[in-house]
């Protein structure tokens, strides 16, 4: 459970990466502190237990923030408060969101928030990668239904050699920059750029990233087994395909006739009457 401090470590690209649970943000559904050298990122996840009436989409919010205090600075002068997320923070939040969103069960429509906060910003470890890894780990140890594990890393190529999660200084020498998210079985997302790199070399970079992500996924599975909470039960809010097809088959002609009425008020009355007719038909239908 998440009521006691527990640490897990892994060699990730030549650096020791540590994931800690049970000490911070205990009231969240899941929380981890990911550390690598001088960089630390706290990632928390929370999900509602009640579904909003009429909810027909998955309201997942991913937020990534880099505060000035992470590098020991504070705003002064006229502006003393930090404002909305920067473009870089917004784009990185999307990179975190993209591989996570399709791994939630179909029909899971409960409002969910993933929050990544950079607590300490070092010169070597990349907080963007730590935030992505932390989001996957926090979901794995939480009771939120999630079909993980999943991991993310960046790959550069310096003087012909592939490097996992290069430092800020190393990126200036790299002719390849790729962000890869993957599970144990498949690559989920690829985004990046390169200087006319052949397809075979790009494929080599993807395989290089996937091999390291598999090691990370093994650590996440170990975390879920040792400190993970049982996944909560939920009622799927997916559309009843059988009932939907019956309604479409029975009322499609009438719907076309209603929508074909030119005069606005008459069309609205026709649609309202059709809605009532459909409701009465569904009430009489066998459950």
């Amino acid at each position: 459970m998440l009521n006691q401090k527990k640490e897990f470590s892994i060699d990730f690209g030549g650096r020791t990466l540590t994931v800690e649970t049970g000490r911070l943000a205990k009231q969240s559904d899941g929380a981890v502190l990911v550390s690598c050298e001088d960089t630390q990122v706290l990632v928390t996840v929370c999900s509602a237990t009640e579904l909003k009436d009429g909810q027909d989409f998955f309201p997942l919010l991913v937020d990534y923030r880099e505060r000035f205090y992470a590098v020991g600075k504070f705003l002064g002068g006229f502006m003393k408060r930090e404002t909305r997320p920067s473009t870089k923070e917004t784009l990185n939040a999307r990179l975190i969101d993209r591989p996570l969103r399709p791994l939630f069960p179909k029909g899971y429509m409960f409002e969910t928030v993933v929050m990544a906060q950079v607590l300490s910003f070092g010169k070597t470890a990349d907080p963007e990668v730590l935030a992505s890894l932390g989001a996957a780990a926090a979901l794995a140890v939480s009771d939120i239904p999630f079909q993980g594990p999943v991991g993310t890393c960046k790959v550069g190529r310096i003087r012909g050699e592939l490097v996992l999660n290069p430092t800020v200084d190393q990126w200036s020498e790299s002719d390849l920059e790729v962000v890869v998210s993957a599970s144990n079985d498949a690559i989920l997302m690829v985004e990046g750029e390169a200087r006319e790199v052949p397809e075979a070399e790009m494929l080599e970079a993807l395989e290089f990233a996937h091999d390291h992500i598999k090691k990370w996924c093994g650590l996440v599975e170990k975390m879920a087994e040792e400190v993970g909470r049982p996944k909560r039960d939920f009622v799927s809010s997916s559309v009843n395909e059988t009932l939907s097809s019956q309604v479409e088959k029975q009322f499609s002609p009438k719907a076309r006739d209603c929508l074909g009425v030119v005069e606005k008020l008459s069309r609205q009355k026709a649609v309202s009457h059709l809605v009532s007719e459909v409701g009465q038909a569904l009430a009489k239908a066998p459950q």
Side-chain angles (χ1 to χ4, degrees), residues 78-138:
F78 182 76
M79 295 295 296
K80 292 183 174 64
R81 294 183 180 180
E82 300 185 51
T83 56
R84 62 186 179 87
S86 65
T87 301
K88 176 185 175 184
E89 290 171 317
T90 301
L91 293 177
N92 193 60
R94 294 177 181 177
L95 288 178
I96 299 173
D97 178 296
R98 198 176 302 164
L100 298 181
R101 188 175 292 270
L103 294 182
F104 287 88
K106 183 179 181 181
Y108 190 81
M109 303 292 182
F110 297 83
E111 186 174 3
T112 304
V113 177
V114 178
M115 182 69 198
Q117 303 179 71
V118 181
L119 302 185
S120 177
F121 205 132
K123 295 182 179 180
T124 52
D126 191 336
E128 297 179 359
V129 174
L130 300 188
S132 298
L133 296 175

Side-chain angles (χ1 to χ4, degrees), residues 259-274:
L259 296 177
V261 177
V262 177
E263 207 276 324
K264 180 179 179 180
L265 294 179
S266 299
R267 182 172 64 254
Q268 290 178 340
K269 291 180 180 179
V271 171
S272 298
H273 179 73
L274 178 60

Side-chain angles (χ1 to χ4, degrees), residues 164-225:
L164 189 76
N165 302 323
T167 64
V168 176
D169 295 334
Q170 288 177 319
W171 278 122
S172 61
E173 305 176 31
S174 178
D175 62 352
L176 171 72
E177 181 177 355
V178 181
V179 182
V180 181
S181 295
S183 63
N184 272 318
D185 305 321
I187 292 178
L188 304 174
M189 180 197 73
V190 177
E191 182 163 327
E193 59 183 1
R195 299 174 185 172
E196 299 181 0
V197 174
E199 184 176 331
E201 296 178 10
M202 180 63 75
L203 181 59
E204 181 184 0
L206 298 182
E207 293 175 347
F208 174 79
H210 197 193
D211 289 340
H212 283 85
I213 290 175
K214 288 178 182 178
K215 297 178 182 179
W216 163 257
C217 290
L219 178 70
V220 173
E221 290 174 342
K222 180 181 178 181
M223 291 178 59
E225 181 179 349

